[in-house]
């Protein structure tokens, strides 16, 4: 049986090689027989590739040109003046794309219309928890952003961040109700006590974070995907261990 199988495989490879050789040979014969057609085909391929390269180069150049000119014409910082602005709207306005934390500190110190800035950093990645992997979004927040983010959230287990947590940069986190349920089910499979979620550790980019609490929406019917996969950490924590200070 093995000898017959080997013969069939050898015959298959010989047939495949002969067919390939015949195809290549016929191709060269056709090219020699129709030289003008072959030449025009080569020119067409060359012009097509050259056009693609030229278009990509032009698009890249236009992007750089527009970024530079728009920055000069319009400026990189926009300032709106408005009186009697609610706190929530102030926090939303402060989240200007393109600004760094040093920019916000400069504006707070030197711009009379900027009273405070709300800062946050988000990073997505794989979280390792109780032997399982989940794709989550790590959100580092300062105190002002934390107040805004938790306005429509309620505490599940454990505790919220304290003011000293934002100052210490300790590796602690608060996870969503969705991840909490995943962890409870995993604990049941492993035979662990499901009440020991608080104090358990998860890893984000090989950095351990201690779970101190869980959150859920106040409106149980409102469960957007970004909240389900969110993990809160203090801003200094994500700066110290994940992103850097600015």
């Amino acid at each position: 049986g093995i000898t017959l199988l080997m013969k069939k495989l050898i015959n298959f490879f010989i047939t495949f090689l002969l067919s390939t050789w015949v195809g290549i040979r016929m191709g060269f014969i056709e090219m020699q027989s129709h030289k003008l057609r072959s030449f025009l085909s080569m020119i067409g391929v060359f012009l097509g590739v050259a056009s693609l390269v030229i278009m990509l180069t032009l698009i890249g150049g236009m992007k750089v040109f527009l970024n530079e000119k728009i920055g000069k014409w319009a400026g990189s910082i926009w300032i709106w003046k408005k009186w009697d602005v609610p706190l929530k709207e102030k926090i939303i306005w402060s989240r200007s794309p393109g600004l760094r934390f040093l920019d916000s500190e400069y504006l707070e110190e030197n711009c009379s219309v900027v009273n405070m800035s709300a800062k946050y950093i988000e990073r997505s990645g794989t979280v390792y928890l109780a032997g399982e992997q989940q794709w989550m979004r790590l959100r580092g927040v300062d105190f002002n952003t934390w107040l805004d983010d938790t306005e429509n959230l309620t505490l599940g287990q454990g505790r919220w961040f304290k003011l000293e947590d934002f100052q210490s940069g300790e590796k602690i986190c608060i996870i969503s109700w969705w991840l909490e349920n995943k962890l409870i089910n995993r604990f049941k499979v492993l035979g662990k006590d499901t009440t020991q979620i608080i104090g358990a550790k998860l890893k984000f980019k090989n950095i351990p974070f201690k779970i101190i609490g869980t959150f859920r929406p106040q409106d149980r019917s409102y469960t957007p995907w970004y909240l389900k996969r969110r993990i809160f950490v203090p801003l200094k924590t994500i700066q110290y261990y994940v992103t850097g200070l600015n």
Side-chain angles (χ1 to χ4, degrees):
I2 297 176
T3 304
L4 182 61
L5 179 61
M6 290 295 296
K7 287 182 178 180
K8 289 184 177 180
L9 288 174
I10 292 172
N11 290 335
F12 171 77
F13 282 115
I14 291 174
T15 304
F16 174 75
L17 292 174
L18 289 175
S19 301
T20 304
W21 168 248
V22 170
I24 294 173
R25 185 175 177 80
M26 290 298 296
F28 279 108
I29 292 173
E30 285 293 321
M31 290 174 64
Q32 291 178 352
S33 302
H34 305 87
K35 294 181 180 179
L36 180 60
R37 186 179 68 184
S38 301
F39 175 75
L40 292 176
S41 298
M42 293 174 60
I43 291 295
V45 172
F46 173 78
L47 291 177
V49 174
S51 300
L52 181 61
V53 172
I54 291 172
M55 289 300 298
L56 291 175
T57 305
L58 287 174
I59 291 172
M62 290 174 62
K63 182 178 179 180
V64 173
F65 173 79
L66 290 174
N67 286 339
E68 292 180 355
K69 292 299 181 182
I70 289 176
K72 291 180 180 178
W73 296 336
S76 58
I77 298 176
W78 291 76
I79 296 177
W80 288 266
K81 288 187 176 181
K82 186 176 180 180
W83 286 264
D84 298 327
V85 182
L87 177 61
K88 183 176 181 180
E89 191 172 345
K90 287 182 180 179
I91 294 175
I92 294 174
W93 280 14
S94 69
R95 297 173 180 172
S96 302
L99 295 183
R100 293 179 175 268
F101 292 148
L102 292 181
D103 298 324
S104 67
E105 292 174 5
Y106 176 84
L107 291 173
E108 286 177 341
E109 295 174 0
N110 298 279
C111 185
S112 60
V113 297
V114 177
N115 295 323
M116 67 173 184
S117 62
K119 308 178 185 69
Y120 70 93
I121 300 175
E122 284 194 348
R123 291 292 183 270
S124 299
T126 303
V127 169
Y128 297 88
L129 181 63
E132 284 193 337
Q133 301 179 21
Q134 298 290 342
W135 185 261
M136 303 295 291
R137 291 181 65 85
L138 198 70
R139 182 174 174 87
V141 293
D142 69 349
F143 183 69
N144 291 329
T145 309
W146 171 248
L147 293 178
D148 181 46
D149 285 351
T150 56
E151 184 177 358
N152 296 312
L153 301 179
T154 184
L155 183 65
Q157 298 189 52
R159 66 173 179 86
W160 289 131
F161 292 134
K162 299 177 181 178
L163 186 59
E164 52 265 29
D165 294 328
F166 294 100
Q167 300 168 351
S168 66
E170 188 179 352
K171 289 184 282 188
I172 55 177
C173 67
I174 297 176
I175 64 174
S176 68
W177 77 101
W178 181 82
L179 188 58
E180 176 189 2
N181 292 334
K182 291 282 186 181
L183 187 54
I184 289 174
N185 293 334
R186 184 60 179 168
F187 275 17
K188 289 179 180 178
V189 171
L190 297 175
K192 294 184 177 180
D193 185 1
T194 57
T195 63
Q196 299 301 315
I197 291 177
I198 304 304
K201 290 189 177 181
L202 58 83
K203 284 189 176 182
F204 180 84
K205 295 187 176 179
N206 210 32
I207 302 166
F209 294 88
K210 180 181 177 182
I211 300 173
I212 66 167
T214 65
F215 71 86
R216 62 184 68 252
Q218 292 179 0
D219 183 359
R220 297 297 179 92
S221 63
Y222 180 71
T223 56
W225 67 268
Y226 67 89
L227 273 183
K228 289 168 60 176
R229 296 188 176 271
R230 176 169 290 175
I231 298 174
F232 286 108
V233 298
L235 181 63
K236 284 192 176 180
T237 301
I238 198 172
Q239 287 180 301
Y240 287 162
Y241 301 104
V242 180
T243 63
L245 296 179
N246 195 32

